[in-house]
Amino acid sequence: MGVFSNRLEYDDLGNPKEIELDNGWFTAFKEKYYRWDWNFGTIAITLAITAFTMLTITIKLAKLFFELTFNYVLAIILAPSDIHSGQKTKQILQSIPNTFLVTIMIFLSMKIYLIGTEFITDKLDGVAYLIALFAFSLAVIDGPNIVEPLFGIDAVLKSSWGAV
């Protein structure tokens, strides 16, 4: 008998025995040597949730980079005309590092999201896994609540939901 026509199965004592692969029902569902057990619904929902999270983060990052570029150009244009107090130029220049810090916070939250999804993949399955994945996704999309008061820029949710 060939290697690819048999499989090993273990009894209660842990002794292996060779069992011939099943030919299936009318040879329609033949048992193959390499086989995996996968759930299409869970895979599709997981991919949809992850894609939505990534799309939302991408939209927010694109808006932040546009805002960063616009602040840079505005600072060059506004600086010569803001001779009297310099407050407008100062405000623009302060928003540039804040934009960088919010970008770092977004990537930090994405790293925490990836660690969290790996954790729930190991610990949960089925509906509990999908609920936890959706909760992690909303947490990333919403962003940490402390970021906006500290830097004056929304980390993700408000502008991203509007953009979507």
Side-chain angles (χ1 to χ4, degrees):
M1 298 233 146
V3 173
F4 293 112
S5 61
N6 294 317
R7 64 184 162 99
L8 284 180
E9 196 169 278
Y10 294 92
D11 60 11
D12 293 336
L13 300 174
N15 300 324
K17 63 180 179 176
E18 208 172 283
I19 295 181
E20 202 168 315
L21 294 177
D22 188 16
N23 280 332
W25 188 60
F26 294 114
T27 67
F29 301 104
K30 286 182 83 166
E31 190 175 27
K32 295 185 170 60
Y33 187 71
Y34 292 107
R35 56 206 173 272
W36 292 271
D37 184 29
W38 54 279
N39 186 345
F40 180 76
T42 303
I43 292 171
I45 292 172
T46 300
L47 288 174
I49 290 172
T50 305
F52 180 73
T53 304
M54 298 298 173
L55 177 69
T56 307
I57 296 297
T58 303
I59 290 170
K60 179 58 182 179
L61 286 172
K63 287 182 69 176
L64 280 173
F65 292 148
F66 177 79
E67 184 178 321
L68 186 65
T69 306
F70 189 79
N71 285 343
Y72 173 74
V73 171
L74 188 63
I76 292 172
I77 293 171
L78 192 64
S81 65
D82 193 22
I83 300 170
H84 180 62
S85 66
Q87 291 301 315
K88 294 176 188 174
T89 306
K90 181 180 173 186
Q91 191 174 12
I92 292 170
L93 292 177
Q94 284 176 344
S95 72
I96 291 174
N98 288 344
T99 305
F100 279 116
L101 290 172
V102 169
T103 303
I104 292 169
M105 294 298 152
I106 288 173
F107 284 112
L108 180 65
S109 68
M110 282 303 300
K111 183 62 178 175
I112 293 171
Y113 173 74
L114 293 174
I115 292 169
T117 55
E118 184 178 337
F119 175 77
I120 64 170
T121 301
D122 292 340
K123 302 293 181 191
L124 301 173
D125 59 351
V127 176
Y129 166 75
L130 293 176
I131 291 171
L133 182 67
F134 187 69
F136 268 112
S137 179
L138 285 181
V140 169
I141 291 170
D142 190 12
N145 292 332
I146 193 70
V147 174
E148 188 173 3
L150 285 177
F151 303 116
I153 301 171
D154 179 30
V156 178
L157 177 70
K158 292 176 189 122
S159 57
S160 293
W161 280 116
V164 170

